[in-house]
């Protein structure tokens, strides 16, 4: 992995982690605004607790060394969460501004996953 790729990986991973951490914390605090957003999207308020918890655990999984299989699951979870958020906003006809946050986090998820170092990938032995 060259220096440029490593820098891009760590910048995208840091921004992804900050985004997921901050939104996860906000979702764990049942603010009225967040509850109303979820209800507008057609989801129950308890869904905030589930999403917020998984985001925090996903950030831990991505940042701690080792556990490449857990990292794959975390990246997959982030991908499903953010693509689901985009489609949810589309389904209710939200304005384009609502797509920016999940869209950015989706791009950061893909970039971070694609550029992750070999030590953070699942190794497949071919016998």
């Amino acid at each position: 992995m060259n220096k440029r790729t490593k820098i891009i990986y760590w910048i995208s991973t840091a921004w992804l982690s900050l985004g997921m951490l901050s939104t996860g914390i906000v979702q764990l605090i049942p603010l009225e605004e967040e509850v109303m957003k979820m209800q507008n999207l057609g989801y129950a308020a308890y869904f905030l607790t589930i999403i917020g918890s998984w985001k925090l655990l996903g950030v831990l999984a991505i940042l701690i060394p080792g556990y490449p299989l857990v990292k794959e699951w975390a990246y997959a979870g982030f991908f499903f969460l953010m693509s689901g958020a985009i489609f949810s906003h589309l389904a209710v006809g939200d304005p384009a501004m609502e797509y920016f946050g999940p869209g950015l986090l989706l791009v950061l998820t893909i970039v971070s996953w694609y550029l992750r170092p070999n030590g953070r990938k699942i190794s497949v032995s071919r016998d």
Side-chain angles (χ1 to χ4, degrees):
M1 173 180 265
N2 65 34
K3 187 175 181 176
R4 180 178 173 261
T5 304
K6 190 180 283 191
I7 290 169
I8 295 170
Y9 164 76
W10 280 110
I11 289 172
S12 64
T13 302
W15 279 103
L16 172 64
S17 298
L18 286 171
M20 292 297 182
L21 182 67
S22 62
T23 57
I25 290 169
V26 167
Q27 289 167 338
L28 287 174
I29 302 167
L31 299 173
E32 187 175 336
E33 180 182 340
E34 290 297 314
V35 171
M36 290 177 65
K37 277 185 188 179
M38 290 303 281
Q39 289 173 343
N40 183 47
L41 292 171
Y43 299 109
Y46 68 83
F47 201 54
L48 285 167
T49 305
I50 296 168
I51 292 173
S53 300
W54 283 115
K55 283 182 179 181
L56 297 182
L57 291 171
V59 169
L60 281 175
I62 286 175
L63 292 179
I64 61 172
Y67 308 100
L69 181 60
V70 177
K71 289 180 192 321
E72 289 291 322
W73 279 81
Y75 279 118
F78 286 167
F79 183 86
F80 297 142
L81 276 174
M82 294 304 102
S83 60
I86 291 168
F87 285 114
S88 295
H89 286 295
L90 277 169
V92 298
D94 278 342
M97 186 176 129
E98 295 295 326
Y99 307 117
F100 178 75
L104 176 61
L105 288 172
L106 181 62
V107 168
L108 290 170
T109 298
I110 294 167
V111 170
S112 177
W113 174 83
Y114 185 76
L115 297 178
R116 71 200 186 285
N118 288 333
R120 293 175 171 260
K121 294 180 182 178
I122 297 174
S123 60
V124 178
S125 63
R126 301 191 186 247
D127 295 328

